[in-house]
Amino acid sequence: MKVCLSWLKEYVDIDMSPEALSEALTMVGLEVEGLEPVGSGLERVVAARIESLEKHPNADRLALCRVNTGAGTHTVVCGAPNLREGMRVPLACPGADLPGVGAVSETEIRGVASWGMLLAEDEMGLTDDHSGILELPEGATPGLGVAEVLGLPDWTLEIGLTPNRPDCACVLGIAREIAALTGRRLKQPPIDYREQGPEIHRRAGVEIRDPVGCPRYAAGLVQGVRLSPSPFWMRYRLHQSGVRSINNVVDVTNYVLLEMGQPLHAFDYDRLRRNRIVVQRAEDGSRFTTLDGRTRDLDGETLMICDAERPVALAGIMGGLNSEIFAGSENVLVESAYFDPVTIRRASKRLGLSTEASYRFERGVDIEGVTRALRRSLNLI
């Protein structure tokens, strides 16, 4: 499992060095197999404010950005689509040497002098996003180092877990171990939101036909969702943990899985027939198409999540293509459940399909944490 040190520090106070922390965790059985710095090489990258934008005279897709660094104003040529006046951006000054870019210098682009370079997230090694320039917080003071603005440098720890430690397959589990080692207090993720509208049982129903395979199932409904990219801090933590960002709703389910160790799944509420969830075994010989686009042959031992008419997910493993969140989704039903480890392990092995969710369910998640993780996800959404 990969986790960034700054995320751990949110839940337990850590004053030892990353190397000392790695040694301490390894000595108690959580072997740190890798320790990598994040945000190194940003010494000559500063926050800058875009004062004005002009079209490049010799290129349709390039703009001339007048940027204020606090110590002066410079012209930088850039072709990113998200630029606007007043935006705070990371500026690599001449002399910077970035892992994803190389040496930065004053140069001439299509006949116009360009001082430095405005940076996307992947060019600083923070995420894999290259869709535009990273937008810094509005209060970022021009001239302030980007590392300070973003709370860098950071470290990523890669921890090898033994099968008997599923409790540490999450940030909170590792933070709990550190708290025990150091005598510090373990903090909990904040959960604070207001429920409103009709009571949930009037909008959705849940029926468990196999209480052995699924002893506990909880669901929450969020209406009026607007799908968009997640904020930078969430995409950053997901990326450093080896998880690809998709959209704000799906990212929340992955974020809570990594944070609390409880797998979640988000359904498009309006695509669930009669807005019902039924947990039952599959029909022997039936077929089901999962989110990865593959159609899989099922047997009568495979536990399924269904709506009133058809299967919509492989329980504890992967959702179905017929109920996935998509660009037009407005109402989301979030699932949080406890599934029998043996049932999930057998299905995962038969299907040859292992996921972050099945990894945790096979080893056993905390049945008492089901509703808490659900509430955390609703809070974040």
Side-chain angles (χ1 to χ4, degrees):
M1 176 176 173
K2 296 176 68 177
V3 60
C4 53
L5 182 59
S6 59
W7 199 353
L8 289 170
K9 286 183 175 180
E10 192 167 308
Y11 299 126
V12 63
D13 293 331
I14 301 172
D15 53 17
M16 63 180 79
S17 68
E19 294 81 4
L21 176 62
S22 299
E23 177 68 17
L25 287 172
T26 299
M27 293 304 292
V28 296
L30 299 180
E31 184 179 2
V32 178
E33 299 173 340
L35 181 64
E36 296 291 336
V38 181
S40 58
L42 301 181
E43 294 79 13
R44 291 190 58 78
V45 179
V46 301
R49 183 181 187 275
I50 298 179
E51 301 291 346
S52 65
L53 290 170
E54 295 180 18
K55 187 176 178 297
H56 194 294
N58 303 317
D60 292 337
R61 297 185 180 181
L62 297 178
L64 308 182
C65 309
R66 291 289 292 172
V67 296
N68 181 358
T69 66
T73 303
H74 305 275
T75 298
V76 180
V77 178
C78 184
N82 64 326
L83 300 174
R84 69 176 191 279
E85 291 184 3
M87 182 178 174
R88 264 69 168 185
V89 293
L91 170 66
C93 302
D97 191 1
L98 302 171
V101 176
V104 177
S105 61
E106 293 187 61
T107 187
E108 186 175 293
I109 300 177
R110 303 293 290 270
V112 176
S114 179
W115 192 91
M117 178 180 180
L118 304 185
L119 299 173
E121 295 168 16
D122 65 334
E123 292 168 330
M124 294 181 283
L126 303 180
T127 76
D128 59 357
D129 186 84
H130 194 73
S131 59
I133 299 303
L134 170 62
E135 182 169 359
L136 299 176
E138 288 186 8
T141 304
L144 192 64
V146 161
E148 183 176 348
V149 173
L150 298 178
L152 301 170
D154 197 2
W155 294 81
T156 297
L157 292 80
E158 185 167 359
I159 300 175
L161 297 177
T162 51
N164 66 323
R165 294 307 305 269
D167 59 304
C168 288
C170 62
V171 175
L172 268 176
I174 298 169
R176 183 183 298 111
E177 202 74 14
I178 295 170
L181 279 168
T182 60
R184 301 295 175 85
R185 182 176 65 88
L186 178 68
K187 307 167 191 176
Q188 295 293 334
I191 299 175
D192 181 22
Y193 65 92
R194 182 168 58 93
E195 295 185 0
Q196 57 187 349
E199 295 182 357
I200 184 68
H201 70 270
R202 299 182 183 277
R203 304 306 306 269
V206 175
E207 179 184 357
I208 300 177
R209 295 180 182 173
D210 188 343
V212 173
C214 179
R216 182 167 294 180
Y217 191 102
L221 176 63
V222 186
Q223 296 176 281
V225 168
R226 184 176 65 254
L227 290 189
S228 64
S230 295
F232 168 74
W233 62 266
M234 180 173 285
R235 290 185 287 106
Y236 167 76
R237 289 180 172 179
L238 290 175
H239 178 75
Q240 298 304 326
S241 300
V243 176
R244 181 172 61 92
S245 174
I246 298 174
N247 59 51
N248 49 357
V249 171
V250 176
D251 286 358
V252 163
T253 63
N254 288 328
Y255 186 88
V256 175
L257 175 145
L258 293 169
E259 180 182 63
M260 305 180 76
Q262 171 65 49
L264 306 171
H265 186 69
F267 296 100
D268 185 313
Y269 169 80
D270 298 309
R271 298 172 76 183
L272 296 174
R273 307 280 173 82
R274 286 184 263 168
N275 307 129
R276 285 181 57 79
I277 289 290
V278 180
V279 186
Q280 61 186 19
R281 302 281 172 160
E283 293 184 14
D284 201 16
S286 60
R287 309 187 79 197
F288 181 68
T289 303
T290 45
L291 281 171
D292 58 4
R294 292 187 56 186
T295 299
R296 304 176 186 276
D297 297 317
L298 309 177
D299 63 19
E301 292 300 311
T302 306
L303 190 65
M304 303 296 294
I305 307 299
C306 307
D307 60 19
E309 301 175 11
R310 59 190 179 152
V312 292
L314 289 171
I317 303 176
M318 185 178 284
L321 205 58
N322 57 2
S323 62
E324 72 170 328
I325 301 296
F326 72 111
S329 297
E330 295 181 351
N331 304 307
V332 173
L333 188 80
V334 182
E335 164 195 286
S336 181
Y338 178 91
F339 297 116
D340 172 52
V342 174
T343 300
I344 302 303
R345 183 165 59 249
R346 288 175 176 171
S348 177
K349 185 175 181 179
R350 278 197 306 270
L351 296 168
L353 179 60
S354 180
T355 62
E356 292 283 351
S358 66
Y359 173 88
R360 288 162 175 81
F361 280 126
E362 289 173 23
R363 288 157 180 79
V365 300
D366 178 14
I367 194 170
E368 298 297 335
V370 167
T371 55
R372 190 163 179 275
L374 173 64
R375 295 180 65 238
R376 172 65 167 159
S377 71
L378 299 178
N379 188 138
L380 288 169
I381 293 174

